[in-house]
């Protein structure tokens, strides 16, 4: 068989005709449910039940074999036992079916025998070009075309309203739950898909299709793991460029969770911290809970993206204002103060208001009808906030509710580039009016602020996509390098390293020390001794030529004693560097995502607190800055306890250079550990003081 | 006037008769709303409208003056303008009214003139014994007695169901919002009270009353600040002893929030970190959001408290299991594995289940009717979990919903000492059945696990109350001590300090060094030089007698040069201490809560990350251990990078001793700073290497 061009997923989400292989006359059976749904919810294309035992199924003409249909089949739903599934798929491919939803379970999830058949299913998809969703999945629902290619019972109790949130879930149970939740919360979906075992179509394919889909404004994804990191990254990059926000619930953020995930899914998981880094890097919002994911998706769906991070908070309850301010501050929103003249206008009307931000107009808002319109105007026009949250206590349910809603909708129409959220309780009818008027509604004011922070995060990430020029291919040695070799390689890659010289005898060492300036450090140089301190291979703070010459002899003697067969390249002499902030820069290779760069401050505490950040290589300078900014101990670099601020610019340059080197070096480069990397005060640069570069040994 | 015994708050929450001073015939006016509510919702006691202009008000006989009623008045609602409020209160006191709800605003919240009158109101309450709620408050609602002593509009749109959650809010707007939210979520309240400006009755009084109230199972409080820390602590301690959980939303956790709070309320706030410590110490659950507060209060209300922290998680969706496991792990719940034989029974029934914990019985749960009962039995009986969460996707809304609910309710009845939570969607009717059957229901599985973690936290805190014997009064010097003086004071208090000796000449210093063992450190000793390193007053790593003698001269010379008038007590000689973990122990005085002990690891990063913990002094050893355990970098003390585990026992002893000293020392002691306090490897103890003890100077 030759590989054909893969079909687009259009036929999966918007099929013009659907065959059901293993169709059942009983509407509650796995092969009967989708036919019942398609009929009930008004699917307008052709439906071809395939079942050799029946002439008609659910009042439709049935066919004995998919090849007997004789018409174009966009989508075949396959609901036959595992033992005959592959055969059914082959027949579908022969009938030129464009895509398949394969409900059947009993493949990779039940062991190696099933995995073998699953690989054959994947191979069939690749050679035939027929796209296969599943196996072991709950299928697809797409309300706009009346497509209910699922046997999930959730559509049986009612369908969601048509909306603009695309939902992709690797888990069927989660998908069903999320569908019901959307229905109960009155949230509209554009498409719903569960990917199951992903023999062919995977989560990235579905994301990719929804990014292009005009009906989808935001994508909510549930992920357990990903096999093809590069593909996922390409898709996330495309989403960012298209400004189509993605919200992901990715399970397994703790060790216990990761262990549970491993026992649950056969998918290679990759380190959770790296997923986290990828999501940050590509502007994906990772939600810790289902509720959070829905809050954020709903907020994009209704409110769209704001211009920026500034937030105005208006309240009639000082306390609720403080709650919102706490949330805004801890999420890094820009809660700038109102302009002086706007504050004066508020205070002129309400003497005991707080007019800065949050603006607390007190209970007077219930008696003074002009107060709310005035506040809107001052906050949206004069203060020019990108986002506005208004806490209105329970007023949404009071007789004033409809008026409050109408005002908010009018304001949103007048300032279409702002996000406006009301925190109050509303009737379902008022909720609908707010949805239609693109105004957000949250009962809990903290959740309103959190949702806005997520929107601002999307807005910022779309702006900041950087192109990074690839480094031309790097020539790597055939084996792990000595410190001197590692430093040379890094220096060639544009990473600053300390002044140093490798001496091969005591006199040369002493001369080098004199040239570099006392005091100096002396370190044994050998590709066979990576952990120099363990053998006493480092001597610090040498004050004169005599000490340096002696140190040379001492170090070579120690090395020979500890590792008689080690290749000794000499002794490295470098000046003692005073001051600066010690950092760690590193690179490692993730099994899913490839080369990853790590940054953190030096010292035991950072390790104990896991206060490091990761990014996929390569990345540009803006991303390097975000990477630096995302560690918790960030303030240390700004000058702590009176120390001067560190040279962040030099640090970010080094991270970019390291990322480009890591990306260009290829699989042979296993890891880099630059520790310490000292960042000197602003304007003075930064430099690696030591480095280990581990290279995969070529097979001889 | 003499001070009379204050009345109990019984008359506020369960008045047998209510007068309304400033009663209005219009049911929507501030003086009319409470009468309308009382009539509408069937208050059974006497209602006495007070208004000299009317014979009847809302069909009730009106009185010209509260003193003209001539019957016992338990509660007077005062709804008159601020200018005549004090007079109305005096008349009420003359009429022997037991308690007052004072709606009127225009006191401390509008400036100093108002504050003066407010203080007079407080004084009237104290001298008369009449309890006054407010001013500037929305009053009280207590459904069981039909008491709606409020002008909040929220009761106008419907009342909450009678329940067992007591709600106390300092803010009226928040109180009204929370009331509506409870009604919308179908959550029942026992009593509802807003305390406003707290001229007399404050939040602590209301908490105190609800702790004694048999109808209240859990208290949900909204707090902006507290003036009397000692009173609050007494009440929280009482709640813990009574095992009555308190959930608090305390605003102002960020700098921005604290600034907003300061501009909003005149109440002295105290440092937010200290509130946080008090809540931890007394087993209060501090909720970051309103939703979280309701989740936790609802969980106690319906589910009660579990026996312990172990949690079993059952799911038909592996992914939801991982979500729950992530949450359980990050909240420190005990997600222990199922016993071997129980796992085997699960696997015998479902070959491809995960049977450890979370237990994933796969979609087979929908076809195998015996699977859920078996899982219940194995998890509650064999694994004996204290808590059980079951994720059932959207099945609660399916035809199987009623059966799932019934099973859960039966299981809870069979195992009444366990907490059972279902994560699914349910109809309001099924929700009611679950409430009645004491089974928790949450849509979001993460929220279910979070609520259980909060319950387990309450359960643990009740058990662990410790009594700490008071230290007999400490004699403090009249001024700040030198390091030697501080070390002596701490040693006398039972805090270990390094071996040391203060020498008054070079020879004595050299002899001391020889006795203590080289290398030694030498430090200038003067009560006038607290920051010794700033003047070069410390010399490290002295190797022999000669160096020590020279160091003595050098240090005294430096001190004289830097501070010519400093009183020099000598030079302190101490051995250089190697190894161990450097910590900081401290004590400071909070304006609201008094003496507070602080603990953290040493070093710049801990400061940058604010990774320290606080506790009110005094406290016992178990609390000291919790205090140590609550820093993020806790793992460093367990032995990091191959270092030996630190002597936690000695560290906790020192913290307890410091707390008892701080509690006994009185207001003269301003602060203690023990930095570094070195904790040596297990069994080797711990010791202060330096200390500053700041004493408030007596006025001459």
């Amino acid at each position: 068989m030759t590989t054909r061009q893969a079909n687009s997923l259009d036929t999966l989400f918007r099929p013009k005709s659907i065959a059901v292989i293993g169709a059942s006359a009983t509407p509650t059976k796995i092969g009967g449910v989708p036919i019942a749904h398609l009929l009930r919810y008004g699917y307008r294309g052709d439906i071809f039940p395939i079942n050799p035992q029946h002439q008609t199924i659910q009042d439709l003409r049935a066919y004995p074999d998919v090849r007997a249909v004789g018409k174009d089949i966009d989508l075949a739903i396959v609901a036959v036992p595992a033992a005959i599934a592959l055969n059914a798929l082959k027949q579908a491919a022969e009938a030129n079916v464009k895509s398949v939803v394969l409900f059947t379970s009993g493949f990779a999830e039940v062991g190696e025998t099933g995995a073998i058949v699953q690989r054959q299913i994947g191979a069939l998809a690749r050679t035939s070009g027929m796209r296969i969703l599943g196996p072991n999945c709950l299928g697809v629902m797409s309300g706009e075309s009346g497509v209910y290619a699922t046997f999930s019972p959730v559509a049986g109790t009612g369908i969601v309203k048509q909306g603009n949130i695309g939902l992709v879930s690797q888990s069927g149970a989660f998908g069903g739950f999320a569908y019901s939740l959307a229905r109960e919360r009155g949230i509209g979906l554009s498409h719903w898909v569960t990917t199951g075992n992903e023999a062919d179509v995977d989560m990235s394919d579905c994301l990719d299709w929804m990014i292009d889909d005009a009906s989808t404004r935001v994508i909510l994804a549930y992920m357990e793991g990903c096999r093809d990191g590069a593909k996922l990254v390409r898709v996330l990059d495309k989403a960012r460029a298209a400004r189509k926000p993605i919200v992901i619930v990715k399970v397994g953020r703790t060790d216990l969770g990761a262990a549970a995930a491993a026992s649950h899914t056969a998918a290679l998981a990759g380190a959770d911290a790296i997923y986290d880094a990828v999501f940050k890097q590509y502007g994906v919002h990772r939600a810790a809970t289902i509720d959070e994911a829905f809050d954020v998706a709903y907020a994009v769906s209704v409110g769209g993206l704001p211009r920026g991070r500034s937030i105005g908070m208006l309240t009639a309850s000082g306390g609720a204002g403080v709650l919102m301010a706490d949330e805004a501050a801890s999420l890094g929103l820009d809660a700038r103060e109102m302009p002086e003249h706007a504050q004066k206008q508020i205070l002129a009307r309400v003497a005991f208001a707080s007019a800065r931000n949050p603006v607390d107009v007190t209970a007077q808002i219930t008696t003074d009808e002009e107060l709310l319109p005035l506040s809107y105007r001052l906050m949206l026009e004069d203060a020019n906030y990108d986002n506005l949250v208004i806490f209105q206590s329970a007023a949404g349910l009071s007789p004033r509710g409809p008026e409050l809603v109408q005002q908010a909708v009018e304001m949103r129409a007048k300032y279409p580039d702002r996000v406006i959220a009301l925190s109050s309780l509303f009737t379902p009818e008022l909720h609908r009016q707010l949805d239609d008027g693109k105004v957000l509604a949250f009962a809990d004011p903290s959740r309103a602020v959190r949702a806005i922070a997520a929107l601002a995060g999307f807005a910022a990430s779309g702006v900041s996509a950087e192109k990074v020029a690839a480094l031309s291919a790097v020539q790597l040695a055939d084996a792990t390098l000595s410190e001197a070799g590692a430093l040379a390689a890094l220096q060639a890659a544009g990473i600053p390293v300390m002044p140093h010289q490798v001496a091969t005898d005591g006199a040369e060492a002493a001369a080098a020390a004199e040239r570099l300036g006392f005091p100096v450090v002396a370190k044994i140089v050998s590709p066979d001794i990576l952990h120099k301190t363990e053998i006493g291979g480092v001597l610090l703070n040498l004050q004169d030529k005599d000490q340096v010459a002696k140190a040379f002899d001492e170090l070579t003697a120690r090395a020979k004693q500890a590792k008689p067969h080690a290749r000794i390249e000499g002794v490295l002499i470098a000046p003692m560097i005073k001051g600066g902030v010690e950092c760690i820069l590193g690179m490692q290779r993730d099994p899913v995502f490839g080369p990853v760069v790590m940054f953190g401050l030096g010292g035991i505490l950072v390790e104990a607190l896991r206060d490091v950040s990761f990014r996929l290589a390569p990345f540009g300078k803006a991303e390097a800055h975000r990477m630096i900014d995302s560690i918790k101990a960030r303030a240390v670099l700004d000058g702590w306890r009176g120390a001067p601020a560190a040279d962040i610019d030099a640090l970010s340059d080094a991270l970019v250079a390291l990322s480009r080197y890591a990306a260009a070096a290829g699989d042979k480069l296993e890891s880099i550990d630059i520790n310490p990397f000292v960042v000197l005060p602003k304007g003075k640069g930064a430099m690696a003081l030591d480095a280990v570069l581990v290279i995969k040994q070529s097979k001889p």
Side-chain angles (χ1 to χ4, degrees), chain A:
Chain A
M1 285 196 283
T2 55
T3 301
R4 282 191 269 155
Q5 177 76 34
N7 290 313
S8 145
L9 295 192
D10 284 354
T11 56
L12 184 66
F13 288 101
R14 293 199 179 93
K16 294 201 184 66
S17 55
I18 302 177
V20 181
I21 303 178
S24 169
T26 311
T28 54
K29 285 203 170 167
I30 182 169
V33 171
I35 297 175
H37 283 350
L38 291 167
L39 293 172
R40 175 174 171 193
Y41 297 123
Y43 173 65
R44 285 182 302 272
D46 289 326
I47 307 172
F48 309 116
I50 313 294
N51 186 326
Q53 258 94 64
H54 292 75
Q55 294 293 321
T56 62
I57 283 197
Q58 299 190 39
D59 297 331
L60 296 169
R61 176 185 164 191
Y63 300 80
D65 185 307
V66 68
R67 291 163 299 188
V69 172
K71 293 185 191 165
D72 279 354
I73 300 174
D74 271 0
L75 172 66
I77 295 169
V78 176
V80 300
I84 58 168
L86 184 58
N87 202 45
L89 292 170
K90 284 179 181 161
Q91 293 175 355
E94 286 170 30
N96 200 25
V97 164
K98 303 290 185 303
S99 58
V100 166
V101 167
L102 179 56
F103 291 160
T104 316
S105 58
F107 297 93
E109 82 279 12
V110 302
E112 189 43 40
T113 320
I116 291 168
V117 184
Q118 185 172 313
R119 282 194 289 274
Q120 292 170 330
I121 293 171
L124 173 65
R126 279 185 297 282
T127 52
S128 67
M130 179 175 78
R131 303 309 305 267
I132 301 175
L133 182 72
N136 190 28
C137 79
L138 284 182
V140 174
M141 292 189 268
S142 194
E144 60 176 13
S145 334
V147 174
Y148 291 86
T150 184
F151 68 100
S152 167
V154 291
T157 48
I159 54 176
V160 301
K161 74 173 186 187
Q162 196 55 28
N164 59 13
I165 300 174
L167 200 147
V168 186
S169 173
Q170 289 185 322
S171 150
F174 180 89
F177 177 64
Y179 188 86
S180 300
L181 204 57
R183 193 181 56 210
E184 296 301 304
R185 285 182 65 162
I187 286 175
L189 302 181
S190 56
H191 310 278
W192 176 97
V193 62
T194 66
T195 57
N197 290 10
E198 303 190 342
D200 170 35
V201 174
D202 65 7
M203 167 165 275
S204 298
D205 292 320
C206 296
L207 294 174
D208 194 1
W209 186 85
M210 288 187 186
I211 292 163
D212 290 331
D213 174 47
S215 309
T216 300
R217 175 75 190 88
V218 51
I219 304 169
L220 197 165
Y222 168 88
M223 180 186 236
E224 295 178 353
C226 158
R227 291 193 199 91
D228 187 343
K231 182 176 173 184
L232 177 64
V233 163
R234 272 199 310 278
V235 169
L236 298 183
D237 197 32
K238 176 177 164 179
R240 180 171 59 173
R243 297 183 69 82
K244 189 153 291 192
I246 298 179
V247 185
I248 286 189
V249 176
K250 154 78 174 66
V251 301
R253 66 191 154 84
T254 63
D255 292 345
L256 180 68
S263 83
H264 160 58
T265 167
L268 183 59
D272 187 76
I274 307 305
Y275 280 94
D276 209 66
V278 170
F279 297 150
K280 282 199 182 78
Q281 194 165 351
Y282 287 92
V284 171
H285 182 93
R286 181 178 189 177
T289 66
I290 300 171
D291 272 344
E292 182 190 340
F294 270 91
D295 280 359
V296 175
Y298 153 78
V300 180
S301 165
V302 168
L305 300 189
R307 303 174 310 186
R309 301 189 70 75
S310 72
I311 183 168
M313 295 166 278
L314 178 63
T315 176
S317 154
V322 180
L323 266 182
M324 296 192 287
D326 277 341
E327 204 66 41
S330 59
L331 295 169
L333 287 167
D334 169 14
R336 66 176 70 134
E337 283 192 14
M338 293 268 280
E340 199 88 24
H341 74 275
Q343 294 194 34
K344 280 189 183 141
Q345 286 190 63
I346 296 277
L347 291 170
R349 197 142 192 125
V350 188
F352 304 105
S354 301
R356 295 191 300 186
N357 187 26
V359 175
D360 173 12
V361 291
T362 79
Q364 195 165 319
I365 201 163
T366 55
T367 51
D368 178 350
E369 287 191 1
E370 293 303 306
L371 196 47
L372 186 56
L374 173 72
S375 305
Y376 266 121
R377 184 170 59 71
L378 291 173
M379 297 186 83
L380 291 173
E381 189 70 43
D382 298 52
N384 198 20
Y385 291 121
D386 301 321
N387 303 278
L388 179 62
V389 189
I390 308 175
F391 176 77
Q392 284 168 320
S393 186
L397 291 177
S398 77
R400 290 169 54 235
E403 186 196 331
L404 295 176
V405 168
Q406 198 195 329
Q407 272 179 319
V409 168
E410 279 170 13
M411 283 298 140
R412 173 68 207 240
K414 190 168 172 192
Y415 300 92
D417 58 350
R418 317 303 173 87
V419 171
I420 299 176
L422 301 187
S423 167
S424 188
L425 297 163
F426 296 100
T427 61
E429 171 52 30
L430 289 180
H431 255 294
R432 268 191 296 274
Q433 291 180 24
L434 288 167
D435 282 1
D436 293 345
K438 300 183 178 175
V439 175
L440 303 179
F442 285 94
D444 185 330
S446 310
R447 276 168 83 165
V449 174
R450 282 185 196 173
I452 281 174
L455 298 187
F458 287 132
S461 80
V463 176
S464 59
E466 295 174 280
K467 288 294 157 216
V468 186
L471 216 60
S472 52
V474 168
Q475 286 302 316
L476 278 185
D478 251 5
T480 293
L481 302 170
S482 69
E483 177 185 345
L487 290 173
L490 294 176
Q491 193 160 28
I495 296 158
V497 307
M498 66 193 168
H500 65 277
Q501 183 177 331
V502 178
T504 50
D505 62 44
E508 194 187 344
E514 186 154 57
R515 183 178 65 77
L516 291 161
F518 292 102
V520 297
V521 57
K523 303 192 265 187
I524 195 75
V525 180
S526 163
D528 303 315
I529 304 174
L530 294 184
H531 302 288
K532 297 179 285 286
T533 50
E534 286 176 10
I535 66 142
V538 179
L539 289 168
L540 298 170
N541 218 10
L542 306 172
Q543 301 289 346
D544 56 39
K545 289 176 74 170
D546 193 40
Q547 285 186 10
V548 171
K550 275 189 200 153
F552 184 97
D553 297 339
E554 179 66 31
L555 289 172
T556 45
R558 285 182 188 175
K560 272 174 193 151
Q561 201 196 347
K563 288 214 164 189
H565 302 294
R567 293 159 292 171
I568 310 288
E569 294 177 4
V571 168
L572 183 149
I573 307 295
M576 296 288 290
I577 304 294
K578 289 258 154 90
V581 180
E582 288 202 358
C583 298
I584 302 176
L585 274 51
M587 170 265 163
Q588 63 194 61
R589 193 165 290 283
D590 183 77
V592 173
F593 292 101
V596 174
V597 169
M598 189 271 280
F599 164 72
L601 298 189
I604 182 172
L605 277 168
V606 169
E607 212 178 302
L609 297 167
R610 297 195 194 181
D611 187 21
V612 294
S613 57
F614 297 92
R615 288 296 185 273
L616 297 194
F619 50 80
K621 200 150 172 178
E623 195 62 50
H625 275 282
R626 276 194 291 271
M627 185 179 184
I628 296 164
D629 290 346
S630 67
I631 64 165
K632 297 188 202 83
R634 172 67 178 80
V636 170
L637 292 164
D638 288 333
W640 193 257
R641 285 189 187 163
D647 197 332
I648 304 281
D649 202 49
L651 172 60
S652 60
D653 281 339
L655 284 166
V656 170
L658 179 61
S659 82
R660 295 178 69 203
Y661 180 74
D667 288 353
K668 260 175 79 177
L669 179 60
E670 290 215 327
S671 69
I672 300 174
D673 190 12
I674 309 178
N675 181 12
F677 183 85
V678 168
V679 186
L680 295 167
K682 209 165 180 171
K684 304 222 162 131
M687 58 182 74
L689 301 196
D690 200 347
V692 175
L693 214 141
V694 178
I695 293 170
K696 210 180 284 179
Q697 198 123 18
S698 302
K699 295 280 182 297

